[in-house]
Amino acid sequence: MKIAKPPLPSQDKRWKIVDAKMRRLGYKANALVETLHTVQESFGYLDEEALAFLAGALHVPPSKVYGVATFYNFFSLKPQGAHTCIVCLGTACYVKGADKVLMAVERYTGIKSGETTAHDSRTAFCGTKSYLLGLCG
Amino acid sequence: MILELLFAERNHICSVCVANGHCELQSLAQQQGMTHVRFAYLYPEASVDASHERFVIDHNRCILCTRCVRVCDEIEGAHTWDVMGRGTNSRVITDLNQPWSTSETCTSCSKCVQVCPTGALFEKGKSVAEMAKRREFLPYLTLMRGQHK
């Protein structure tokens, strides 16, 4: 039985890129992470519409899509700022006072880590905590 | 120690819980003679979703055993439940982390409620210590589906 292809959510050209990716991977359920990557790269974040669309297109339960999208650090459910500040909180950096660096950044920008400043999108800033970037020494 | 960590991770207060006396976590703690928890409680901000017509999910009592996820996927076949997030931020979710009542995949079969070992999933209208779970259907259903339990 051939299952009808769900229509793209909007006329947005970026959906074509996503659809091409899914087609190349044969609309298989195990291509979920790969497809989420494509959506993340072309839209910058994953909104509810995108998640629901992927669930329908790849025949994966919506809860599973959401679970995968929230599990991996790379995926973001909120629009990201134009610039991202990453503060390494690995053990070596932490010993050298990374927590103070993070606090200073938070004080300077007035946001908590993981948030995005409320400026217009060009100057938007968002902070991220990270563990071990491998730049020690 | 694992039991104590489980208790410390969420807000388990047996005396006001619907599953008081019918809770597997509570029974295990009694069996092991647990008297107190050596770890600082995390007191996470966990919500209660009572939007469903018949059932309630209280994340404060969830121990993330994922039995609801498994029974929904493997027995009912709906896969309404899944786990989101990582570490202490993990939660069981229905569909796209939406209120249970708006879930399109949920069939309201109540299997998740019956297999939940604690009072995290319970039927509406049950008061303290009234939520006894009925699991008799499980062996029959697994047998009928030709699976090995």
Side-chain angles (χ1 to χ4, degrees):
Chain A
M1 189 186 80
K2 201 166 182 291
I3 303 162
K5 215 172 78 177
L8 299 179
S10 69
Q11 290 296 312
D12 198 325
K13 286 227 170 67
R14 290 173 290 185
W15 285 117
K16 296 252 168 70
I17 304 171
V18 177
D19 192 51
K21 184 80 175 185
M22 287 196 290
R23 195 163 53 236
R24 196 153 65 244
L25 296 165
Y27 294 99
K28 288 212 186 81
N30 55 21
L32 174 63
V33 175
E34 197 90 345
T35 319
L36 280 171
H37 259 278
T38 313
V39 179
Q40 172 80 39
E41 271 160 18
S42 33
F43 287 85
Y45 69 107
L46 310 164
D47 59 3
E48 208 154 275
E49 188 189 26
L51 294 177
F53 169 68
L54 288 194
L58 300 173
H59 305 293
V60 182
S63 56
K64 202 169 190 170
V65 178
Y66 197 93
V68 171
T70 49
F71 182 82
Y72 294 105
N73 235 342
F74 178 75
F75 302 128
S76 149
L77 299 185
K78 278 184 268 167
Q80 298 286 299
H83 307 284
T84 309
C85 176
I86 300 171
V87 179
C88 176
L89 294 177
T91 315
C93 291
Y94 200 86
V95 171
K96 288 289 252 179
D99 54 334
K100 291 191 195 96
V101 174
L102 183 68
M103 257 159 62
V105 172
E106 284 182 347
R107 203 166 45 238
Y108 178 71
T109 56
I111 56 165
K112 286 260 181 307
S113 103
E115 291 175 347
T116 306
T117 48
H119 300 303
D120 67 289
S121 61
R122 277 188 59 235
T123 52
F125 168 90
C126 81
T128 316
K129 273 195 251 177
S130 174
Y131 298 97
L132 204 59
L133 295 168
L135 299 173
C136 321
Chain B
M1 193 172 99
I2 292 171
L3 273 174
E4 291 180 28
L5 286 169
L6 276 175
F7 271 94
E9 182 152 341
R10 296 280 167 101
N11 311 308
H12 295 282
I13 301 147
C14 294
S15 55
V16 293
C17 181
V18 285
N20 189 3
H22 311 286
C23 172
E24 287 183 40
L25 185 65
Q26 190 186 28
S27 315
L28 268 177
Q30 279 164 352
Q31 221 179 70
Q32 298 296 320
M34 196 182 105
T35 52
H36 61 284
V37 176
R38 282 169 286 175
F39 308 100
Y41 273 67
L42 293 180
Y43 299 117
E45 243 187 85
S47 57
V48 179
D49 178 3
S51 65
H52 193 279
E53 199 183 333
R54 284 161 55 206
F55 317 118
V56 185
I57 164 85
D58 184 350
H59 291 286
N60 293 295
R61 299 169 183 154
C62 176
I63 56 167
L64 296 171
C65 64
T66 69
R67 274 193 207 171
C68 48
V69 178
R70 288 193 61 195
V71 82
C72 193
D73 180 40
E74 294 170 24
I75 309 289
E76 176 64 11
H79 203 124
T80 301
W81 293 103
D82 213 313
V83 185
M84 69 159 272
R86 265 184 299 179
T88 48
N89 299 321
S90 299
R91 297 281 185 275
V92 285
I93 51 162
T94 44
D95 281 3
L96 296 173
N97 196 15
Q98 60 205 53
W100 198 352
S101 62
T102 62
S103 162
E104 280 172 18
T105 51
C106 181
T107 57
S108 303
C109 69
S110 96
K111 289 188 187 72
C112 49
V113 177
Q114 305 306 337
V115 296
C116 180
T118 66
L121 286 160
F122 59 97
E123 287 162 10
K124 259 189 192 168
K126 298 276 181 180
S127 181
V128 174
E130 283 179 355
M131 186 63 218
K133 311 268 173 158
R134 292 170 289 114
R135 303 210 175 106
E136 300 80 20
F137 65 89
L138 260 184
Y140 297 111
L141 280 179
T142 43
L143 191 74
M144 279 193 284
R145 279 164 177 70
Q147 290 172 345
H148 301 288
K149 184 100 201 320

